[in-house]
Amino acid sequence: MRSFLTDGRGEILVAVAAGWFLSIGIRLAYPVLLPHLRESYGLDLTTAGLLLTALWLCYALGQLPGGLLADRFGEGNVLVASTLISAVTLGLVAVAGSAPVVYLATGAFGFGTALYGVARFTTLSDVYPDNDGTAIGVTMAAGQAGNTLLP
């Protein structure tokens, strides 16, 4: 265990796992927030469903660009950019004054979190070439904790 966390690798694992905890946990908190969003912005069930569709569609569409950007600019840079984009767009959702702003910010949030997907795996494989399965498992467990705790 000690060798698993030495040489700065433990900090990388904690950072990547914490990012995944927040990324997936916040996306799965959206259904819990739907009643509040419906009330605040006058959304019916159809438009509330469209909001969730926008979130997950943009998440799906961001996977390929996430990999391309990681190849071009490096995994660490993409992880940081994903985190910043996600934080800014989530802030926009929080202060949005209209439904269209919520939809655009939600879509951008979905796309921003998608950038995290590919880069987290390759980062952990690079940092833990002999134990990447364990490092990825820890990160996935952190995501499951986010799924459980944040909504």
Side-chain angles (χ1 to χ4, degrees):
M1 182 66 157
R2 181 175 294 215
S3 65
F4 196 74
L5 300 174
T6 58
D7 301 326
R9 296 184 314 162
E11 289 86 359
I12 293 169
L13 177 59
V14 168
V16 171
W20 189 238
F21 170 91
L22 291 170
S23 174
I24 191 72
I26 293 170
R27 276 183 279 138
L28 289 178
Y30 257 82
V32 176
L33 298 173
L34 276 183
H36 305 289
L37 294 169
R38 286 186 62 212
E39 182 180 324
S40 296
Y41 299 105
L43 306 177
D44 59 19
L45 292 174
T46 301
T47 55
L50 182 60
L51 181 65
L52 292 180
T53 299
L55 171 67
W56 289 101
L57 180 61
C58 290
Y59 178 73
L61 294 173
Q63 297 295 313
L64 177 62
L68 293 170
L69 291 169
D71 282 340
R72 184 167 181 101
F73 300 109
E75 294 103 325
N77 292 327
V78 171
L79 291 174
V80 170
S82 171
T83 302
L84 291 173
I85 292 166
S86 300
V88 168
T89 56
L90 193 58
L92 287 173
V93 169
V95 300
S98 67
V101 173
V102 171
Y103 278 87
L104 290 172
T106 295
F109 174 72
F111 189 85
T113 60
L115 301 178
Y116 206 88
V118 172
R120 80 179 187 277
F121 289 123
T122 56
T123 295
L124 294 173
S125 292
D126 290 345
V127 172
Y128 293 99
D130 297 326
N131 300 51
D132 58 340
T134 302
I136 290 168
V138 167
T139 301
M140 298 305 283
Q144 293 303 316
N147 292 342
T148 302
L149 299 173
L150 294 182

